[in-house]
Amino acid sequence: MLRHPKIRLRVTLTSTLVAFVLTMAMAGLVLSGSRKQTFDDSVQDISQDGRRVAAAINSGSLAREIQVNHRELLLVTDAQGRVVAASPRMRGRPPVRLPPPPPSDDRRDGRACNIDAPGGPCFLVVQFRVGTGPNARYVYSLTPEPGLVPQPRLALLLLIGVLLGTGVVAYGTWRSVSGTLRPVDDIRRELDEITATDLERRVPVPSRRDEVGMLAVSINATLDRLERAVARQRAFVIDVSHELRSPLAALRMELELALSGPDDADVRDTLQAILINTDRVAAVVDDLQALSRLEADRNFPREPVDLTELADQEVLRRPFRSQVTVLAEGAVTVNGGRSELSRLLTNLIDNADRHAASEVTVIIRVERPSTAVVEVIDDGTGVAPRDRERVFERFARLAEGRHRDAGGTGIGLAISRDIAEAHDGSLVLTDRMDGVPGARFVLRLPR
């Protein structure tokens, strides 16, 4: 708890410390002002006493014992420093040794600690000079220097005020922070109870639209995305199991038929059927690996890639069922991953070849100001507008286009769109521009 204090404790301690320092500083200023006022009042009092004695000297009525009404400390010396008059409390004490006032003034104020007088150790002294030359007299009026806290009652009241003010700030901060963080505690408790089996639950949203309220809204939005992702993952696992079950069942059937009648089985036909289903399983696994790599890391190495050259290589690499033609305006270069873009073009051309009646056309061009466009067009039956986004879903197959024997894995178009988006591009399915039935995939990538 001490090594990792909670937010409310840290905030309360910080505000309490700040309040204590500020109130102490204010109390110090008050005490400093009070001490200065006391200091000025003391100097004014003893200066009045000194002037009264100086007036008596000028009038010739000064007696050897200065009559006072209070406890004043007064002393009069001649030019040679001999005591000529003193108040009762200063009688019999040595003269005060201080420099005389400057020639241009008849008064000097000072502080001294080497004076033999009652109430010390240090005194405030006001010195007057009366007359000039050998007949000059020096009047010393003294009072004990005020202490650090000249008014103890005021200091006590200020201390009580500091403690009360600091306590009020600490209590108010604790209550305020506790009220502010109470919704956070509710959110934390709700999150602790949410598991993978009840992702439909949401954290409570406070009525106040402050930072905590916005946090709750963001958490609920994150839970929405998480719920959709988990649902998508579960559906994906089910689809993968379904896609792999068919070729595996075909493999098992071929093997069981071969084992049930080993003498009657055509080994070549059996091995050929097994090879076809094995290739289908391998294609699904290969696409799954590509999809997982793309989702795990989109920071793949990038380099200048000529889409025209890449399309020509993909078309010439192997034979197709239909005639594939590449039409290009020349070199069209983008910055991307060569293997990823190669897989994208392969998936689009393979998909068009499976659904085309007789021909597939690949058009590569530049769209101003700085966009590379690849169009893959087939002359098949096309896709209805309501289903054109569904074909990009994983393992999505339209009812009128289920060609499982054509070699499709069901995730090639989904991988193609993910690759396009990883390159800050887009991939859409539209109608052909010439009005002929068929599908037209349009890929746009920044040059």
Side-chain angles (χ1 to χ4, degrees):
M1 184 66 179
L2 294 178
R3 291 178 60 186
H4 306 285
K6 293 185 177 181
I7 293 178
R8 69 188 69 187
L9 180 59
R10 293 203 306 267
V11 173
T12 301
L13 289 177
T14 301
S15 62
T16 301
L17 179 61
V18 171
F20 179 76
V21 171
L22 291 178
T23 52
M24 283 296 294
M26 294 176 61
L29 291 176
V30 173
L31 288 177
S32 176
S34 173
R35 185 173 185 274
K36 185 178 183 303
Q37 185 64 42
T38 303
F39 186 94
D40 294 341
D41 292 343
S42 299
V43 172
Q44 184 177 2
D45 290 343
I46 61 177
S47 65
Q48 290 177 355
D49 294 336
R51 289 192 182 279
R52 179 170 53 83
V53 174
I57 295 174
N58 287 327
S59 63
S61 61
L62 178 66
R64 185 167 182 79
E65 181 174 325
I66 303 174
Q67 300 297 321
V68 295
N69 298 326
H70 302 288
R71 301 171 61 86
E72 290 89 347
L73 303 177
L74 297 168
L75 193 68
V76 180
T77 62
D78 57 13
Q80 288 74 33
R82 292 171 298 192
V83 177
V84 295
S87 63
R89 299 184 66 196
M90 292 294 293
R91 189 182 305 120
R93 297 182 182 273
V96 177
R97 303 295 182 183
L98 288 178
S104 59
D105 196 0
D106 63 348
R107 173 176 171 172
R108 175 189 291 275
D109 298 345
R111 173 182 177 275
C113 295
N114 56 351
I115 298 176
D116 183 8
C122 295
F123 297 86
L124 300 178
V125 182
V126 176
Q127 177 188 22
F128 291 96
R129 181 177 57 227
V130 182
T132 58
N135 296 322
R137 296 289 183 268
Y138 295 93
V139 180
Y140 298 91
S141 180
L142 299 81
T143 188
E145 182 184 24
L148 184 62
V149 184
Q151 300 183 39
R153 183 176 298 177
L154 176 62
L156 179 61
L157 292 176
L158 289 175
L159 178 60
I160 294 174
V162 167
L163 296 178
L164 285 177
T166 304
V168 169
V169 170
Y171 177 75
T173 303
W174 179 268
R175 289 293 302 272
S176 177
V177 176
S178 298
T180 302
L181 295 180
R182 190 173 296 112
V184 178
D185 291 336
D186 297 338
I187 294 173
R188 177 185 56 80
R189 283 193 295 269
E190 187 68 23
L191 283 176
D192 289 341
E193 296 176 1
I194 294 177
T195 62
T197 59
D198 55 356
L199 288 176
E200 71 280 356
R201 295 177 59 176
R202 296 295 179 264
V203 300
V205 179
S207 57
R208 297 192 303 269
R209 303 297 293 179
D210 53 9
E211 288 82 355
V212 178
M214 291 187 290
L215 172 64
V217 172
S218 298
I219 290 176
N220 286 334
T222 302
L223 290 174
D224 290 338
R225 294 191 295 270
L226 179 61
E227 183 180 9
R228 290 193 297 267
V230 171
R232 185 180 180 185
Q233 183 184 27
R234 290 171 179 169
F236 180 70
V237 171
I238 294 174
D239 290 337
V240 169
S241 302
H242 182 74
E243 290 294 324
L244 292 177
R245 184 180 295 113
S246 296
L248 290 176
L251 282 173
R252 183 179 183 85
M253 182 185 68
E254 294 291 342
L255 293 174
E256 288 178 347
L257 288 175
L259 290 175
S260 62
D263 297 334
D264 300 332
D266 188 336
V267 175
R268 181 177 181 82
D269 292 342
T270 300
L271 293 179
Q272 185 67 32
I274 292 175
L275 181 60
I276 292 175
N277 287 284
T278 303
D279 289 340
R280 186 174 175 185
V281 173
V284 173
V285 173
D286 187 44
D287 280 348
L288 290 176
Q289 288 179 341
L291 192 61
S292 63
R293 285 195 300 267
L294 191 62
E295 289 183 345
D297 184 16
R298 295 199 172 191
N299 296 322
F300 43 80
R302 299 171 187 259
E303 59 180 301
V305 179
D306 184 356
L307 294 178
T308 303
E309 177 187 358
L310 200 62
D312 288 337
Q313 291 176 355
E314 293 302 317
V315 171
L316 297 175
R317 184 168 56 89
R318 56 189 173 84
F320 291 92
R321 183 181 61 83
S322 56
Q323 179 182 353
V324 180
T325 304
V326 177
L327 303 177
E329 299 176 352
V332 178
T333 305
V334 298
N335 189 44
R338 177 173 291 273
S339 60
E340 286 75 16
L341 292 175
S342 176
R343 175 176 288 276
L344 190 159
L345 293 178
T346 299
N347 289 346
L348 292 180
I349 296 173
D350 285 347
N351 178 79
D353 182 55
R354 286 195 302 271
H355 295 87
S358 60
E359 64 177 2
V360 174
T361 304
V362 180
I363 301 175
I364 303 175
R365 58 185 176 85
V366 176
E367 189 176 83
R368 300 199 178 276
S370 58
T371 302
V373 180
V374 178
E375 299 182 15
V376 180
I377 307 170
D378 65 63
D379 58 350
T381 58
V383 179
R386 66 178 181 275
D387 295 324
R388 287 174 183 172
E389 280 300 312
R390 283 188 55 206
V391 299
F392 293 105
E393 298 177 1
R394 300 172 184 179
F395 298 110
R397 294 180 183 273
L398 305 183
E400 62 274 16
R402 296 180 180 270
H403 301 291
R404 295 184 179 274
D405 59 342
T409 63
I411 55 176
L413 293 180
I415 294 175
S416 298
R417 173 167 279 188
D418 286 346
I419 294 174
E421 291 176 351
H423 286 79
D424 298 324
S426 63
L427 177 62
V428 296
L429 172 59
T430 64
D431 289 322
R432 291 179 55 138
M433 300 293 291
D434 53 8
V436 177
R440 172 172 167 259
F441 287 89
V442 181
L443 168 67
R444 285 183 170 84
L445 298 174
R447 296 191 65 190

